[in-house]
């Protein structure tokens, strides 16, 4: 079976870092049964992670949200 890896990256508005951090923390407290992302219902999912990237060395770069995942099957399947 084909195995697909996807990464989504999006810029985060600086004034939304606090609320996003709170949301990601809530998801992280119960990744299997949180009310935001139904990971358990995604039967072909092997791995998923959210990362809020902020670099103190390059603050002009700004914050970004990274969502990585891999699953069985093809992207269009």
């Amino acid at each position: 079976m084909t195995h697909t890896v996807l990464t989504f990256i999006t810029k985060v508005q600086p004034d939304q870092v606090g609320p996003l951090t709170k949301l990601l923390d809530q998801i992280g407290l119960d990744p299997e049964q949180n009310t935001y992302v139904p990971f358990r219902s995604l039967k072909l999912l092997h791995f998923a992670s959210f990362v809020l990237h902020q670099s103190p060395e390059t603050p002009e770069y700004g914050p970004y949200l990274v969502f990585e995942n891999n699953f069985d099957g093809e992207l269009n399947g």
Side-chain angles (χ1 to χ4, degrees):
M1 176 173 276
T2 300
H3 195 167
T4 300
V5 177
L6 289 176
T7 302
F8 299 95
I9 303 171
T10 188
K11 191 164 183 65
V12 175
Q13 295 297 319
D15 64 334
Q16 295 301 306
V17 169
L20 180 57
T21 299
K22 184 177 177 181
L23 175 66
L24 294 175
D25 287 346
Q26 289 175 343
I27 292 169
L29 287 174
D30 191 358
E32 293 189 19
Q33 296 183 12
N34 72 84
T35 59
Y36 301 103
V37 183
F39 290 114
R40 271 290 175 202
S41 69
L42 305 172
K43 300 299 181 194
L44 301 179
L45 184 70
H46 289 273
F47 171 83
S49 70
F50 289 102
V51 175
L52 180 56
H53 175 75
Q54 301 180 90
S55 175
E57 292 82 23
T58 54
E60 68 278 4
Y61 186 69
Y64 280 82
L65 177 65
V66 180
F67 175 63
E68 297 181 297
N69 65 91
N70 60 47
F71 55 91
D72 288 334
E74 296 183 16
L75 183 58
N76 63 354

